[in-house]
Each structure stands twice: as structure tokens, then as C-alpha cells.
């Protein structure tokens, strides 16, 4: 992964990293550290993650880890942000490639992308289910916001829905509730319980249908 790709994976990356990578080799090293951390988290959860484990799994020195991250919480935070950005990128590509004729189609795209992240993005599921000080620090508003932002942008840009405070609030309510149901779908089923996923689609579509019609 090159420098530009690392910057995309960690938006505002320099604020999360002790040292921002300036060469392709440094970027690849950073990516290797995050990939190693993600694989460990998938195996044992992030509460048992240590910087020493990350270094060993990545085949790097502990000094290399500390060059970029002050502690393990910073590693988890970086993974959360990288996952959020990859989710945004996935939705953006899907929206641009698909012929959307109804605003409800955009909801399916967002939920499909979120479901796919749970199924395929290393570390994503474990971090999302965290209930601890580490998770609280890692899952800040900046890492939770992309779901609502992507749906809002899609509805405004593609369907001419006026972006008002009421509309933004309605979309935030819908996405917070819908994403919670998607998270529940993966709580005990790595493939995702289709019942919760289906209800997430129905709930978000029904709520927004009422809220957006009321806002017009």
C-alpha cells in the first residue's frame, strides 16, 4: 500500500500517527502493522492485544510499532478509522456503478456494504462489539459518522432531497438504529443472521419514508 493509499485509509492520518509515512516502504510497514493487529484481534479480541504481539506478527521490532503508535489503544483506533474509510470507499464505488432509480435503493447499498464489512474486513466485527474503555476510545464519533454521512450525501446528491437539520437528524436516527440491528445480526453468527439484516432494511426504509415525506 502506497503513501496515498495509507492516507486514504487513515483520513487525517497524521493526527492518529506519531510519524506519518513519507515513503512507500514506510507506508507498507504501517499497513503491515495494522493488518497484523487486525488478524490478532480476530483471533483473541482486542482486549488481549499488545503492541508486542503486533510487532511479532508483523515481523517488526517493537520500536517500529512505537514509531507510529504510542499504545495499543492507538492501534485499535487506527483500525477503526481504516475500517470506516474502507466502508465509505465501498459505498462510493457501489453508488457510482449502480443505476439507482429509487432513493430506497441507496439504503440497500449502504446496508449491503456494512454487511460485507462485517463479513470480510479483518478486525471490524471484533472492534464494533467492544464494550470497554478501549472500544470507547477507539469508536469515536468520527468512526461512527460515515454511515449517516454516506446515506445523506447519496439522498441529497442523487435524489435532490433538501439537506435540512431535520433530514440530517432523521437519517442519523435511521442509521444508528439500522446499524445496531446489523451489528446484532453478527453478534453470534459470523455470516450474519438474515432476519436482523432484513429488519434493518425494513426499519430504515419505513422510518425514512415517513420522515422524508414529512420534511417536504
Amino acid at each position: 500500500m502506497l503513501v496515498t493509499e495509507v492516507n486514504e485509509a487513515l483520513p487525517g492520518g497524521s493526527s492518529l500517527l506519531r510519524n506519518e509515512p513519507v515513503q512507500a516502504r514506510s507506508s507498507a510497514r504501517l499497513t503491515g502493522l495494522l493488518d497484523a493487529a487486525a488478524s490478532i484481534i480476530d483471533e483473541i479480541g482486542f482486549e488481549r492485544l499488545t503492541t508486542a504481539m503486533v510487532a511479532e506478527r508483523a515481523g517488526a521490532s517493537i520500536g517500529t510499532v512505537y514509531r507510529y503508535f504510542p499504545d495499543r489503544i492507538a492501534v485499535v483506533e487506527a483500525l477503526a478509522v481504516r475500517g470506516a474509510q474502507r466502508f465509505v470507499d465501498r459505498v462510493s464505488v457501489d453508488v457510482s456503478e449502480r443505476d439507482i432509480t429509487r432513493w430506497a435503493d441507496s439504503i440497500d447499498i449502504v446496508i449491503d456494504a456494512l454487511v460485507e464489512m462485517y463479513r470480510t474486513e479483518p478486525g471490524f466485527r471484533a472492534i464494533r462489539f467492544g464494550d470497554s474503555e478501549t472500544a470507547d476510545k477507539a469508536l469515536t464519533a468520527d468512526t461512527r459518522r460515515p454511515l449517516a454521512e454516506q446515506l445523506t450525501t447519496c439522498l441529497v446528491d442523487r435524489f435532490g432531497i433538501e439537506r435540512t437539520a431535520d433530514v440530517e437528524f432523521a437519517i442519523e436516527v435511521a442509521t444508528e438504529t439500522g446499524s445496531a440491528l446489523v451489528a446484532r445480526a453478527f453478534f453470534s453468527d459470523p455470516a450474519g443472521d438474515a432476519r436482523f439484516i432484513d429488519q434493518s432494511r425494513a426499519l430504515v426504509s419505513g422510518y425514512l419514508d415517513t420522515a422524508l415525506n414529512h420534511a417536504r
Side-chain angles (χ1 to χ4, degrees):
M1 182 176 282
L2 300 179
V3 176
T4 54
E5 293 172 313
V6 170
N7 289 338
E8 289 173 0
L10 294 177
S14 58
S15 65
L16 290 177
L17 306 176
R18 275 183 161 174
N19 294 284
E20 186 174 358
V22 295
Q23 297 178 343
R25 184 171 61 182
S26 297
S27 296
R29 187 179 297 120
L30 171 59
T31 299
L33 294 176
L34 290 177
D35 289 345
S39 66
I40 295 169
I41 288 172
D42 273 346
E43 293 171 9
I44 65 173
F46 62 78
E47 281 301 336
R48 293 170 59 191
L49 177 75
T50 67
T51 51
M53 290 178 183
V54 174
E56 181 179 2
R57 180 68 60 92
S61 68
I62 191 67
T64 298
V65 177
Y66 285 125
R67 177 184 176 188
Y68 297 109
F69 304 106
D71 51 40
R72 69 188 187 91
I73 292 177
V75 176
V76 176
E77 180 183 16
L79 277 174
V81 173
R82 185 174 77 165
Q85 185 60 39
R86 286 181 173 179
F87 165 75
V88 169
D89 293 343
R90 186 188 297 269
V91 171
S92 297
V93 170
D94 290 346
V95 168
S96 65
E97 291 182 347
R98 289 177 55 175
D99 182 20
I100 303 175
T101 58
R102 303 177 305 127
W103 67 261
D105 294 336
S106 61
I107 294 174
D108 286 335
I109 288 176
V110 172
I111 292 178
D112 286 345
L114 185 60
V115 168
E116 191 64 15
M117 289 293 295
Y118 273 103
R119 289 174 176 166
T120 64
E121 179 71 13
F124 189 84
R125 179 172 176 268
I127 293 174
R128 279 299 191 263
F129 286 130
D131 184 17
S132 68
E133 181 181 2
T134 304
D136 289 342
K137 290 183 178 180
L139 296 178
T140 61
D142 286 339
T143 62
R144 298 174 193 255
R145 187 177 300 120
L147 186 60
E149 283 292 332
Q150 280 295 292
L151 186 52
T152 301
T153 299
C154 186
L155 294 177
V156 171
D157 292 348
R158 297 292 291 267
F159 299 98
I161 295 174
E162 184 180 1
R163 186 165 189 158
T164 65
D166 287 342
V167 166
E168 288 182 342
F169 178 71
I171 293 174
E172 185 173 357
V173 169
T175 54
E176 285 288 331
T177 307
S179 60
L181 282 173
V182 173
R184 176 61 182 84
F186 287 88
F187 184 75
S188 58
D189 185 352
D193 188 327
R195 297 173 301 171
F196 286 103
I197 295 172
D198 290 343
Q199 286 303 306
S200 176
R201 298 182 197 277
L203 184 149
V204 172
S205 295
Y207 173 78
L208 284 182
D209 185 47
T210 299
L212 294 179
N213 285 330
H214 178 74
R216 290 171 180 168

